[in-house]
Amino acid sequence: RLDRENTVVMIACGPVEQHGPQTPLGTDLYIAEYVMHRCAEHLTDHAYPVIVAPSVPYVNALFSLPYPGSVSIRRSVVEEYLFDLLASFAADGFRHLVLTSQHVDPPWVRTADNVCERINEGYGARAIHGFERLVLDLLEDPSQLGATGLDSRGEAHAGVYETAPMLYVRKRLVKKQLLKELPPEPIEFSQMKGAESFRELGNGLGYTGNLSQATEEIGARIIEHYADRFKDLILRHVRDEDVYD
């Protein structure tokens, strides 16, 4: 009974991978799911029906594979799996398909790009993915949060920008005592180029940045910033605006 031209299908995607000793394996998914639901509410408020499909919890995350519990699926397998998933909705006439992810990993972003391009070319759909770019934008300019004194230098993975949002959305899964105990490990993205995994960076515990800055209040600001930006972009996208760049 749903209007295929206006209904939006949303699917959260992300890896099950280590996020330091302080946050859970599903950190990427928890954050993406929260943002996805905020976007879904915004779309329905503007008269667009939304299908929230089950999340996809296993994608490529090779850089974390040496850690217990981390899972990485080959990029080629992930791409074909997601293609079949989106094609199933597109073949049924749904145009607007949104893969929601905050997994800032170049192989994953290229995978999601390829899937959306193939679906759009093959089915005349308007598939899009995000909000990975918003994460990088915020790391480059944390002043957007309106929070003074927040240092984003060396924030590449499992730092304040992932730990603080987890304090806001899944506090019980964060080992809060470690936030003061773990020493700062500033690691820039450029330092990751020659490494095979996070084991080779810093103290090898798989986190970056200064975790002592992580608070629930900062987490709320970070994740609501993502949600506010992404929900506006997706609404403009379903209205047939070009928001990709």
Side-chain angles (χ1 to χ4, degrees), residues 3-50:
D3 178 358
R4 302 302 200 258
E5 287 295 309
N6 290 313
T7 299
V8 183
V9 179
M10 303 196 76
I11 309 167
C13 302
V16 173
E17 67 164 342
Q18 66 82 21
H19 279 78
Q22 80 283 3
T23 40
L25 294 167
T27 290
D28 281 322
L29 271 172
Y30 287 123
I31 294 174
E33 287 175 340
Y34 180 90
V35 171
M36 176 183 67
H37 284 288
R38 293 279 280 110
C39 290
E41 293 167 2
H42 189 63
L43 289 167
T44 55
D45 287 344
H46 287 80
Y48 288 94
V50 177

Side-chain angles (χ1 to χ4, degrees), residues 33 38 43-44 108 120 125 151 162 168 177 185 223 238:
E33 287 175 340
R38 293 279 280 110
L43 289 167
T44 55
W108 157 251
N120 294 343
D151 186 2
E162 291 187 294
Y168 181 61
Q177 72 278 8
E185 286 291 341
I223 202 167
V238 299

Side-chain angles (χ1 to χ4, degrees), residues 79 82-83 86 97-100 109-130 237 244:
E79 180 169 333
L82 288 177
F83 178 83
L86 294 189
L97 311 169
V98 182
L99 294 176
T100 309
V109 174
R110 287 193 291 270
T111 301
D113 271 343
N114 289 347
V115 170
C116 290
E117 288 176 6
R118 290 171 60 192
I119 290 293
N120 294 343
E121 291 174 3
Y123 291 88
R126 285 179 57 76
I128 195 170
H129 75 93
H237 176 72
Y244 200 85

